[in-house]
Amino acid sequence: MKNIRNFCIIAHIDHGKSTLADRLLQFTHTLTLREQKDQVLDSMDLERERGITIKSHAIQMEYEHEGEIFVFNLIDTPGHVDFSYEVSRSIAACEGALLVVDATQGIQAQTISNLYLALNHDLEIIPVLNKVDMDNAMPDEVEDQIVELLGCPREDIIRASAKTGFGVDVILEAILNRIPAPKGDPDAPLQALIFDSVFNSFRGIIAYFRIMQGTFSKGDHVKFIATEKEYYADEIGVLKLKQVPRKTMSAGDVGYIISGIKTSSEVKVGDTITHVSRPTTDIVPGFEIVKPMVFAGIYPVDADDYEELRSSIEKLQLNDASLVFEPESSMALGFGFRCGFLGLLHMEIIQERLDREFNMDVITTVPNVSFKAYTTAKDMVEVHNPSGLPDATYLDYIEEPYIIAQIISKSEYQGAIMTLCIEKRGVLKNQVYLTSDRVEITFEMPLSEIIFDFYDKLKSLSRGYASFDYHIEGWQRANLVKLDVLLNGESVDALSMLIHRDNAYTFGRKMCEKLQELIPRQQFDIAIQAAIGAKIIARETVKALRKDVTAKCYGGDISRKRKLLEKQKKGKKRMRQVGNVEVPQSAFLAILKLD
Amino acid sequence: MAGIYLHIPFCKQKCHYCNFFSIASVRNKAAFVDALCNEIEVQHNYLEKETVNTIYFGGGTPSMLTIDELNRILHRLHQYFTIADDVEITLESNPDDLTPEYLQALRETEVNRLSIGVQSFYDDDLTYLNRVHSSEKAIAAIEQSKLAGFNTLTFDLIYGIPNLTDEKWRSNIKRFLDFGINHLSAYSLTIEARTALSHLIGKGKLPPVDEQQSIRHFKILIEEMEKNGFVHYEISNFAKPGFYSRHNSIYWIGGHYLGLGPSAHSFNGVSRQWNVSNLSQYIDLKDDRKTVFEKEILTIDQQYNEYVMTSLRTTWGCDLEHIRNVFGSEFVDYCLTEVEKYIIQNKVVRRENRLFLTNTGKLFADGIASDLFRQ
């Protein structure tokens, strides 16, 4: 056990985490240059393309020091706010962390929130200043930020360049010398933390664990404490580039278990594995059941693809237990699924994976957060869809989720950021100057307010400088109303939303204006109305198309005209019928693009 | 039925609304005629020995050709194609080219149908359109053409021009009727992309086109022409029975045609090709006796789409029996399902196994056709 080091890397997107991971693998001869595809740890195409790690993985390396072999387990962490719980579980499996900061950009919001998680778990932090070879690096200035943040001596910071390999040897030595070996009693009852799982089409769900206490052998009869399911360990082993089976593993080790698990929901990240015969009395602290916070309808463009969409989502769920779904139907969109996501990025990823991996053409409706509706009978109903709201006569009040949002930015954008957050019903909780020109602002605000154009606005008003992180804080009573959109008097269920009363009028008006732009003229006038209950609060009209005929149709016109009309036909086919009105798909997401 | 179209790409000046390929300089005219004669030879097998029933000189301004040039081209066509005895040969013309001398000489050629680009009898409209002629010239040209003995004449008129009030439009139609001519092409002014007109309207220098006005003009046109015994035989064309443009009808009933000259389109039932829209490239080609074109092979769906799109515009309608014979009954079933809502809306009627646009339906010909399309 004294020869094991378990660590993770904390970094902001694009600060070089994956490149550094690759270098560590290369320097420890875990993989040769030939095996090395860029960024080995990001195995999904999508991850590689976006340059971000969506799901965490783990890999073991061997490091030789003065003739002695040490085992380094690198536990990779997902790099986005939506996955902060997964990050916390990966951190809990480690004794140390590399804090990677881009010398050209400095500390970002996400770095800080993950750093706090690491410090809460008493991890040894090794600060690494990456990209020092870049022309626009500001090593001294960023070192100031790090010293300020960690209170560490300046000489503890390692200057490196993952791209060139500079400083990587120093980092490896620091992992050995500064990160403590795991503690734990191999003879104690088994206590292993599940920090991730993956789906393999031949072997089922494979769970990744870190043994905190005790010893684990192949064939053991084990129990997953939270799910109360029991299994026999068909295979256990360590994670090198491939899975390498082992007979026995003990406290401090990181590995995988295969036990014929069929559904991803049976493996909960953060759960504890123990022996059935000699169970531990302590679960690994910090376990939570992650609940999706953002919901949206996903519908097939072609109604015939409904069953195919279902099987595609089911397959995605095997790999991603945080995705939940249930069938729903919409007057406008037909049959589809209400899906729950951890956050907006998660939603985008699912949409893209459906498109790329399953070739599914889908319409995604306006997302909404999860609400708690309390009835006059004092019952609580979780509402994932505006149409699921209890009838107004039984509704007592509604609660909506609140977040703590941390924003780090150059101080010159502070005013604009505050204005934005206050517009979004935010309440300022704290502001701290990290250095003379970098400020950390903390707001409490409703989650629903960041769903619509918050990131984009934040990025544009700060010229891309502001970074943003959040975590769910709790629930608060909200003055919400249901805003409906009507086309020629028919309510379009897929466009209904729950919205704060103060924003309803502005939103309704903007919504009508946007739809007027997006709905093409048809052979009759189309009234677009926004309504709260029976009260119409905004109206626009799409004027009827009175003439749709080209004057000339001779030899030289026919081909061009046919192609144009074929394109129109294609567009019309993708439209959805609401009453007698044909609505293009773009209209269903109009709300996300309001100014 | 087969036709030959010849594109003569010269103009004295560009009309503001025009998006046809043309050049406001005659510098290369002689070289162009050589190249055209060369292309006649190169393409002489395109129609596979089908008899040529119609020849059409379009443009551009074909009346900028000299009589000698015209005769040379016609002679060349006779050399390489089988031309019907009763061939219809149309020449598009600009009123100010139609001098008595030119007309008399033209009468001696084989040209037997003259199309005159009148557009309007009001000079303010002609200015808006940037036409080179005046209303006075147009009247003179028509009278001279009749004097010269051209019995088969046709006019172009344009409606929906911003200054053209309903009264002025009625008066233009009346002037046409008073000449006793048997064919009229009347076009709704259309702002094509990348034309001077679209640019000038975009800049606010010229008033835009009013859709409601165009619709009123269209209705006035139909009413007046029908009252006077004309058949509305295609969206933009009216004729007394027996005076339909045989050449243009080939386009609408799916007939075969060979297009010669830059930008001209050819069609043989299955594939369509179009020549390069560039005069010097076109001329350069004559030396290596080749011609350069782009080509598309139409799928069965595309052939059906074209048939529906063009036939619906005509007085002969969309023939379901023809669809059954050429494309199969499955296409007929599809067509009937898709057209049903338009029959209910009284935009389309079905008579004797053909579909016809009603007068209201004619305003929506494109949208209706696209709904009947297969893809």
Side-chain angles (χ1 to χ4, degrees):
Chain A
M1 201 190 312
K2 71 177 177 48
N3 282 14
I4 299 175
R5 300 292 181 272
N6 296 323
F7 70 103
C8 59
I9 305 178
I10 295 170
H12 188 74
I13 294 166
D14 286 340
H15 280 199
K17 181 176 72 169
S18 299
T19 319
L20 178 61
D22 288 349
R23 284 290 168 196
L24 296 175
L25 299 183
Q26 190 194 335
F27 272 61
T28 54
H29 312 292
T30 311
L31 77 171
T32 61
L33 271 177
R34 261 188 53 204
E35 290 168 322
Q36 184 169 5
K37 274 198 251 168
D38 277 341
Q39 300 184 4
V40 165
L41 289 185
D42 295 344
S43 58
M44 281 194 273
D45 278 355
L46 193 60
E47 294 184 2
R48 195 168 297 133
E49 226 169 82
R50 292 192 160 199
I52 52 172
T53 312
I54 296 163
K55 288 283 288 171
S56 56
H57 301 278
I59 193 158
Q60 188 179 92
M61 333 170 210
E62 285 179 4
Y63 179 65
E64 196 183 329
H65 182 72
E66 295 173 352
E68 207 177 335
I69 303 287
F70 290 84
V71 170
F72 286 4
N73 289 308
L74 166 57
I75 294 170
D76 201 15
T77 55
H80 189 272
V81 287
D82 289 352
F83 302 93
S84 59
Y85 172 72
E86 275 86 348
V87 176
S88 82
R89 296 304 81 205
S90 293
I91 283 172
C94 301
E95 279 77 34
L98 302 178
L99 174 73
V100 177
V101 181
D102 186 328
T104 67
Q105 292 192 34
I107 288 176
Q108 305 288 311
Q110 223 178 310
T111 333
I112 296 200
S113 53
N114 286 350
L115 175 68
Y116 289 157
L117 279 176
L119 290 171
N120 283 343
H121 286 87
D122 289 326
L123 262 53
E124 178 66 32
I125 307 292
I126 302 174
V128 175
L129 191 62
N130 193 22
K131 305 194 188 178
V132 291
D133 59 316
M134 303 275 280
D135 289 340
N136 54 342
M138 319 167 284
D140 296 333
E141 203 181 318
V142 179
E143 274 188 4
D144 286 346
Q145 293 174 11
I146 296 173
V147 169
E148 184 106 357
L149 188 66
L150 291 178
C152 65
R154 182 173 281 269
E155 46 282 2
D156 278 7
I157 303 170
I158 302 171
R159 292 194 177 193
S161 164
K163 202 171 97 196
T164 65
F166 168 77
V168 174
D169 50 343
V170 186
I171 295 172
L172 284 165
E173 261 178 56
I175 292 170
L176 174 66
N177 294 324
R178 281 153 67 176
I179 297 178
K183 294 185 194 75
D185 178 0
D187 300 321
L190 176 65
Q191 185 207 45
L193 164 69
I194 298 175
F195 63 85
D196 198 7
S197 69
V198 294
F199 169 74
N200 178 300
S201 44
F202 300 106
R203 316 208 61 180
I205 309 286
I206 304 174
Y208 293 173
F209 59 79
R210 149 79 198 268
I211 304 178
M212 312 305 280
Q213 304 286 345
T215 299
F216 195 178
S217 301
K218 181 182 169 170
D220 281 359
H221 189 199
V222 292
K223 182 164 88 172
F224 289 10
I225 294 177
T227 60
E228 296 182 333
K229 300 256 183 191
E230 294 180 8
Y231 309 94
Y232 287 93
D234 298 339
E235 181 179 319
I236 61 168
V238 297
L239 298 150
K240 301 220 173 179
L241 265 192
K242 292 186 181 123
Q243 290 154 356
V244 182
R246 289 281 152 89
K247 285 222 162 58
T248 292
M249 298 171 74
S250 58
D253 281 333
V254 171
Y256 67 91
I257 167 174
I258 297 173
S259 47
I261 304 170
K262 292 283 184 292
T263 57
S264 59
S265 56
E266 288 181 39
V267 181
K268 303 253 184 251
V269 167
D271 199 354
T272 306
I273 307 174
T274 193
H275 283 121
V276 173
S277 55
R278 190 183 162 221
T280 177
T281 49
D282 302 318
I283 60 162
V284 181
F287 174 71
E288 281 173 33
I289 289 177
V290 193
K291 286 191 140 184
M293 278 299 172
V294 173
F295 290 82
I298 293 188
Y299 290 82
V301 166
D302 188 340
D304 296 344
D305 293 340
Y306 175 76
E307 281 307 325
E308 210 184 321
L309 178 61
R310 177 201 295 277
S311 88
S312 305
I313 298 178
E314 277 169 356
K315 280 181 197 138
L316 279 181
Q317 203 185 35
L318 287 175
N319 243 327
D320 183 351
S322 49
L323 168 68
V324 300
F325 70 97
E326 59 188 20
E328 79 168 359
S329 67
S330 146
M331 298 285 284
L333 299 172
F335 290 99
F337 300 95
R338 195 78 189 164
C339 298
F341 311 96
L342 296 176
L344 271 189
L345 179 86
H346 190 209
M347 176 171 123
E348 266 176 49
I349 290 167
I350 297 294
Q351 261 177 282
E352 258 185 81
R353 290 186 64 189
L354 281 172
D355 176 32
R356 285 192 199 195
E357 294 168 35
F358 299 94
N359 209 10
M360 290 297 312
D361 232 350
V362 296
I363 305 176
T364 311
T365 65
V366 176
N368 60 264
V369 300
S370 176
F371 294 100
K372 288 180 178 173
Y374 291 85
T375 64
T376 45
K378 302 287 170 225
D379 290 328
M380 192 276 280
V381 188
E382 269 201 41
V383 179
H384 297 160
N385 187 335
S387 64
L389 201 64
D391 192 90
T393 39
Y394 305 112
L395 184 65
D396 188 3
Y397 62 93
I398 307 172
E399 284 184 348
E400 61 175 330
Y402 266 66
I403 58 166
I404 293 292
Q406 275 170 311
I407 298 161
I408 294 183
S409 165
K410 277 194 167 178
S411 44
E412 57 183 295
Y413 305 118
Q414 187 180 3
I417 292 171
M418 304 259 269
T419 311
L420 173 66
C421 292
I422 288 164
E423 256 174 35
K424 299 279 186 187
R425 295 191 281 142
V427 176
L428 181 66
K429 286 288 168 188
N430 197 8
Q431 52 180 325
V432 181
Y433 277 85
L434 300 173
T435 59
S436 59
D437 71 338
R438 283 176 77 76
V439 64
E440 180 190 354
I441 312 167
T442 308
F443 265 92
E444 180 187 66
M445 57 200 286
L447 175 64
S448 64
E449 294 288 345
I450 66 160
I451 287 186
F452 305 117
D453 69 9
F454 180 76
Y455 291 95
D456 290 348
K457 279 194 174 158
L458 182 67
K459 283 284 172 199
S460 75
L461 64 81
S462 67
R463 294 173 194 270
Y465 279 112
S467 63
F468 167 71
D469 194 22
Y470 74 86
H471 60 266
I472 302 285
E473 188 218 17
W475 298 78
Q476 293 189 20
R477 239 167 126 135
N479 186 5
L480 299 175
V481 291
K482 183 165 170 247
L483 182 69
D484 293 315
V485 173
L486 294 88
L487 295 179
N488 276 354
E490 289 222 29
S491 168
V492 188
D493 54 1
L495 287 173
S496 293
M497 62 183 301
L498 291 174
I499 184 171
H500 196 264
R501 188 179 293 276
D502 294 350
N503 294 342
Y505 281 79
T506 327
F507 232 94
R509 185 173 46 75
K510 285 185 180 171
M511 188 75 185
C512 290
E513 285 168 5
K514 191 76 190 175
L515 287 170
Q516 193 210 14
E517 267 172 49
L518 293 171
I519 296 177
R521 292 170 67 194
Q522 288 161 40
Q523 291 178 15
F524 40 81
D525 282 355
I526 301 165
I528 304 168
Q529 294 167 308
I532 300 172
K535 189 177 171 198
I536 305 294
I537 59 166
R539 179 192 164 120
E540 294 286 339
T541 307
V542 177
K543 281 287 188 201
L545 181 67
R546 310 235 174 253
K547 180 168 173 278
D548 182 14
V549 54
T550 41
K552 292 193 180 191
C553 185
Y554 299 115
D557 305 309
I558 292 172
S559 180
R560 189 167 51 109
K561 189 172 150 89
R562 188 199 76 233
K563 284 171 191 154
L564 185 77
L565 297 188
E566 280 171 347
K567 205 171 141 198
Q568 278 175 20
K569 169 85 182 183
K570 207 170 163 189
K572 275 191 251 180
K573 224 179 149 185
R574 290 173 69 98
M575 287 202 211
R576 293 294 166 142
Q577 196 86 21
V578 175
N580 56 352
V581 183
E582 285 176 331
V583 187
Q585 292 173 39
S586 56
F588 295 102
L589 280 173
I591 208 161
L592 291 174
K593 292 174 196 103
L594 300 181
D595 304 322
Chain B
M1 280 282 272
I4 292 179
Y5 173 84
L6 301 109
H7 191 77
I8 314 299
F10 303 104
C11 286
K12 288 190 178 143
Q13 69 185 41
K14 280 286 278 191
C15 304
H16 279 166
Y17 56 89
C18 176
N19 69 339
F20 288 111
F21 174 67
S22 77
I23 287 173
S25 150
V26 290
R27 195 159 41 94
N28 287 320
K29 192 155 68 109
F32 160 76
V33 174
D34 290 346
L36 190 64
C37 287
N38 175 63
E39 199 193 2
I40 290 169
E41 184 186 342
V42 172
Q43 294 287 18
H44 75 279
N45 272 328
Y46 186 84
L47 294 172
E48 294 178 340
K49 308 282 178 232
E50 254 188 277
T51 302
V52 175
N53 305 93
T54 69
I55 296 171
Y56 194 100
F57 289 90
T61 313
S63 54
M64 286 174 74
L65 290 175
T66 63
I67 300 299
D68 285 348
E69 285 166 336
L70 258 176
N71 279 329
R72 192 179 150 208
I73 296 164
L74 286 168
H75 178 71
R76 190 77 165 176
L77 287 172
H78 277 285
Q79 240 178 305
Y80 288 98
F81 291 90
T82 316
I83 312 272
D85 293 340
D86 63 342
V87 62
E88 170 196 281
I89 305 183
T90 307
L91 182 89
E92 286 184 349
S93 67
N94 208 31
D96 65 341
D97 291 327
L98 299 182
T99 61
E101 300 74 39
Y102 187 80
L103 282 163
Q104 251 154 32
L106 192 63
R107 193 69 194 108
E108 300 302 311
T109 68
E110 282 184 279
V111 172
N112 53 23
R113 188 169 178 271
L114 196 56
S115 165
I116 307 176
V118 175
Q119 319 307 351
S120 174
F121 289 104
Y122 293 95
D123 284 341
D124 56 336
D125 295 331
L126 297 172
T127 308
Y128 180 94
L129 301 171
N130 201 38
R131 293 292 300 191
V132 74
H133 70 274
S134 63
S135 157
E136 199 186 344
K137 272 268 171 59
I139 294 166
I142 300 159
E143 281 167 352
Q144 292 297 334
S145 302
K146 290 174 79 175
L147 275 177
F150 280 101
N151 297 323
T152 312
L153 286 174
T154 177
F155 263 39
D156 284 356
L157 288 179
I158 295 181
Y159 59 86
I161 306 166
N163 282 339
L164 186 70
T165 59
D166 293 359
E167 288 66 40
K168 282 168 71 185
W169 176 232
R170 282 183 190 278
S171 148
N172 274 346
I173 297 171
K174 187 166 184 307
R175 299 285 278 271
F176 163 79
L177 292 168
D178 289 346
F179 280 115
I181 293 170
N182 298 320
H183 188 281
L184 173 70
S185 298
Y187 301 108
S188 175
L189 178 62
T190 307
I191 312 302
E192 302 284 355
R194 292 181 296 279
T195 55
L197 197 54
S198 124
H199 179 75
L200 292 167
I201 291 173
K203 289 253 171 191
K205 290 185 180 165
L206 283 181
V209 171
D210 173 15
E211 191 179 74
Q212 294 301 332
Q213 179 195 340
S214 302
I215 295 170
R216 281 199 315 275
H217 286 185
F218 188 56
K219 288 181 176 162
I220 291 169
L221 174 70
I222 294 177
E223 183 193 312
E224 290 300 319
M225 298 304 281
E226 283 179 352
K227 209 160 44 181
N228 284 280
F230 281 80
V231 178
H232 191 183
Y233 78 102
E234 196 264 351
I235 296 282
S236 302
N237 287 280
F238 297 83
K240 289 271 177 70
F243 288 91
Y244 305 141
S245 162
R246 281 155 59 197
H247 183 81
N248 289 337
S249 302
I250 289 177
Y251 298 135
W252 303 322
I253 59 172
H256 303 172
Y257 47 93
L258 168 64
L260 300 165
S263 82
H265 285 56
S266 305
F267 179 65
N268 66 5
V270 180
S271 77
R272 176 175 292 102
Q273 58 195 47
W274 50 97
N275 284 343
V276 57
S277 291
N278 180 309
L279 184 58
S280 44
Q281 272 184 43
Y282 178 78
I283 288 170
D284 288 348
L285 291 168
K286 80 177 163 52
D287 298 328
D288 50 14
R289 297 172 69 84
K290 275 189 296 194
T291 179
V292 157
F293 50 81
E294 281 183 75
K295 184 173 175 174
E296 64 181 2
I297 311 267
L298 300 182
T299 64
I300 187 108
D301 280 355
Q302 287 168 333
Q303 291 173 38
Y304 159 85
N305 291 350
E306 287 195 356
Y307 175 73
V308 168
M309 179 180 88
T310 53
S311 67
L312 260 187
R313 292 171 66 97
T314 68
T315 188
W316 306 289
C318 178
D319 184 352
L320 297 169
E321 212 38 54
H322 175 83
I323 294 180
R324 190 184 309 280
N325 294 336
V326 178
F327 307 106
S329 2
E330 181 202 337
F331 283 73
V332 177
D333 296 344
Y334 175 82
C335 184
L336 286 174
T337 316
E338 297 291 309
V339 84
E340 198 181 328
K341 69 172 177 182
Y342 291 112
I343 291 178
I344 292 166
Q345 293 170 21
N346 200 29
K347 292 190 172 104
V348 174
V349 287
R350 183 177 171 184
R351 275 197 315 264
E352 295 161 0
N353 224 15
R354 284 170 188 254
L355 301 173
F356 301 92
L357 295 177
T358 61
N359 280 348
T360 318
K362 284 171 184 168
L363 282 167
F364 299 98
D366 289 2
I368 295 170
S370 120
D371 271 352
L372 305 188
F373 271 21
R374 302 259 299 190
Q375 59 158 357

